[in-house]
Amino acid sequence: MVLSSIIDAAIDGKLEDLASFVKEWRKELRIGVKLLLSLAAEKNAKQVETAVKQSVRAGRAPGAWPSKEWDQAIVRRFAPVWRSHEEARQWSKEVLQDRVTFAADGSQAVIEDLWPCVAFVQVATFENPHRENGGYRKSVVNDLITLFGPDDYDPQAENDVKFRRFQLEVESLARFVEERRGWRERKERMPLGFFDGSLLVSLSPPHTLPQANRWQQRYAEEIQKLVRVSHEAHVPVIGYIDQSLARDVVRLLNTLEGGERFSKLLDVHLFNPEFLKEARVPSEGGRRLSDESVDRLALNGWGDRTIFFYCLREGPDTPRAERRDDWNPPIGFAYIRTNGVGGPARLDIPSWVYEEGLLDEVVDVVRAECVVGNGYPYPIEAADAASVIRSADRHLLAERVLQQAQKRSIPLGLSRKMLSKERRR
């Protein structure tokens, strides 16, 4: 039980720190918005390209590189205007009709009170051909992982569990890609695979333990395989991040400013209308940005998106020995508004999708699935619902493991503490 008076006291002690942080953040936001607007107005792509290449040659990751869509405007407005949700659903039906979409999502459960400790990984997939007669498919893949350690349970072993879940999700998407290979030859509509999360693996700070970088390398290798097979089969996959904390556009602004001027900004702050309201607040000198100028960056309308940016983030897959001007980033991103209340979502998109002219169609499919899912892609929603391991499932899992072990005369034990907790929850 947590007492409200204790919570209030803890909050009150930190409000001054929070106010100080917001003051600095608001200052960064105004400067960042002004810089981005000036770049957009001048459309000085050559200046940006020069700064990005200089940063790459110097061994620094500039964060992002605007695509040729930069020549028009940073924000691409979504044209259709619907008078009712029924009209939106009709539009999404036309986009999705006879088009196969797919998603994979997973969950995990570590049974710490089972001796020896084990973990259960479950990944569910949802495939929808969007035909009149239905025909969608749901499937589940499971794996049991033993977590042996000197103290019966090794917290570091959870890395194995998380990675195995990630690996099964990626493998499921790769299978879907292979199955849809040749869609053009069969005169089918472009399929699309959804990954719930980022397709980018960032590099940890230098002080991070070496094993952390080894794990990152393993994650990066799995993503590289998925992006490669996606390109070879010409079947798009995208990563969908509902609440992104990425700073790739912000890093680009830092690169152009020649330092680390922006330390508190996130990318979404530069495009979210709610945050951009703060950019209109006058500075200490009384100067303020006009509503009209700020609105050029705001993803105000449902379906609005930013241009496609190539991602030049520091990561375990980044070439280090020799940085080259012609280094081709395999993954890019765009921000898009898919609901009426929250901030924009981020789409991680393989660069080949943009370069082969499929970006607009891919984004329309994302929009259509978000109409069906009321602001969130329905395939991911369906896969997530099928993958969840609930509290009762954990108890059943532990009992099944015990039963199977007893049949083979393997001595296992389940603590009374866990049985008590399961009964109380």
Side-chain angles (χ1 to χ4, degrees), residues 102-108 121-125 141 162-176 194-198 219 222-223 226 384 387:
F102 176 93
D105 199 14
S107 59
Q108 61 204 48
V121 175
Q122 181 164 278
V123 170
T125 64
V141 178
K162 294 175 183 177
F163 178 73
R164 183 56 179 151
R165 168 185 165 179
F166 179 86
Q167 192 176 44
L168 287 174
E169 290 174 356
V170 170
E171 288 175 354
S172 298
L173 271 162
R175 280 194 297 271
F176 165 75
F194 288 82
F195 180 77
D196 185 17
S198 177
Y219 279 96
E222 294 297 316
I223 288 294
L226 175 61
D384 172 74
S387 71

Side-chain angles (χ1 to χ4, degrees), residues 189-206:
R189 302 189 79 181
M190 182 203 75
L192 181 64
F194 288 82
F195 180 77
D196 185 17
S198 177
L199 296 181
L200 292 151
V201 180
S202 301
L203 190 67
S204 287

Side-chain angles (χ1 to χ4, degrees), residues 282-294:
S283 64
E284 293 177 355
R287 293 185 299 274
R288 67 185 296 274
L289 296 171
S290 69
D291 293 349
E292 181 183 355
S293 62
V294 173

Side-chain angles (χ1 to χ4, degrees), residues 12-314:
D12 186 60
K14 296 296 181 181
L15 285 180
E16 188 174 335
D17 292 342
L18 183 59
S20 177
F21 176 91
V22 169
K23 181 180 179 181
E24 290 299 316
W25 167 81
R26 189 180 284 124
K27 181 179 179 181
E28 286 189 12
L29 178 63
R30 281 196 295 264
I31 296 171
V33 167
K34 188 175 180 180
L35 176 58
L36 200 54
L37 283 171
S38 67
L39 290 169
E42 295 169 8
K43 293 183 174 57
N44 197 342
K46 192 65 180 177
Q47 173 194 347
V48 175
E49 181 178 343
T50 299
V52 166
K53 288 186 175 181
Q54 286 176 348
S55 180
V56 169
R57 283 196 296 269
R60 298 186 300 270
W65 184 352
S67 68
K68 290 182 179 179
E69 288 189 314
W70 174 271
D71 295 340
Q72 299 175 35
I74 291 180
V75 170
R76 310 294 293 272
R77 303 298 176 188
F78 185 52
V81 177
W82 302 310
R83 292 168 295 181
S84 66
H85 196 68
E86 185 57 38
E87 288 185 3
R89 285 189 172 275
Q90 181 58 39
W91 176 87
S92 68
K93 181 179 179 180
E94 292 169 3
V95 172
L96 297 173
Q97 187 70 42
D98 296 321
R99 187 192 302 275
V100 185
T101 58
F102 176 93
D105 199 14
S107 59
Q108 61 204 48
V110 178
I111 315 299
E112 299 178 25
D113 294 300
L114 187 65
W115 182 90
C117 183
V118 300
F120 191 69
V121 175
Q122 181 164 278
V123 170
T125 64
F126 177 78
E127 181 175 326
N128 192 347
H130 295 100
R131 300 193 188 101
E132 294 292 344
N133 60 351
Y136 68 83
R137 293 190 301 173
K138 285 186 180 181
S139 63
V140 177
V141 178
N142 307 116
D143 198 6
L144 188 70
I145 303 171
T146 54
L147 304 176
F148 303 142
D151 300 317
D152 299 333
Y153 169 64
D154 180 7
Q156 291 297 323
E158 281 200 54
N159 289 328
D160 289 314
V161 180
K162 294 175 183 177
F163 178 73
R164 183 56 179 151
R165 168 185 165 179
F166 179 86
Q167 192 176 44
L168 287 174
E169 290 174 356
V170 170
E171 288 175 354
S172 298
L173 271 162
R175 280 194 297 271
F176 165 75
V177 167
E178 288 291 0
E179 289 171 1
R180 306 319 306 173
R181 184 191 287 267
W183 58 272
R184 282 193 177 100
E185 291 79 359
R186 295 189 297 270
K187 301 188 183 307
E188 297 172 352
R189 302 189 79 181
M190 182 203 75
L192 181 64
F194 288 82
F195 180 77
D196 185 17
S198 177
L199 296 181
L200 292 151
V201 180
S202 301
L203 190 67
S204 287
H207 62 269
T208 306
L209 294 175
Q211 57 263 35
N213 285 330
R214 287 197 293 271
W215 278 111
Q216 289 171 329
Q217 185 63 50
R218 294 182 68 183
Y219 279 96
E221 289 171 356
E222 294 297 316
I223 288 294
Q224 287 169 0
K225 287 189 289 188
L226 175 61
V227 172
R228 185 167 55 250
V229 71
S230 169
H231 191 182
E232 291 171 352
H234 298 279
V235 175
V237 295
I238 61 115
Y240 188 93
I241 307 98
D242 187 45
Q243 297 287 337
S244 174
L245 302 178
R247 303 182 72 247
D248 298 308
V249 178
V250 173
R251 287 190 182 96
L252 173 62
L253 297 182
N254 275 328
T255 297
L256 297 174
E257 287 288 276
E260 292 296 322
R261 187 169 192 173
F262 307 101
S263 62
K264 298 174 177 61
L265 274 185
L266 301 177
D267 287 357
V268 291
H269 298 156
L270 297 168
F271 306 112
N272 186 339
E274 293 302 312
F275 285 114
L276 285 173
K277 289 178 182 177
E278 299 294 327
R280 297 185 175 98
V281 176
S283 64
E284 293 177 355
R287 293 185 299 274
R288 67 185 296 274
L289 296 171
S290 69
D291 293 349
E292 181 183 355
S293 62
V294 173
D295 280 342
R296 292 177 195 150
L297 295 182
L299 297 173
N300 285 316
W302 188 96
D304 288 353
R305 70 168 175 91
T306 66
I307 64 170
F308 177 82
F309 291 88
Y310 291 97
C311 191
L312 294 167
R313 183 188 299 181
E314 186 76 10

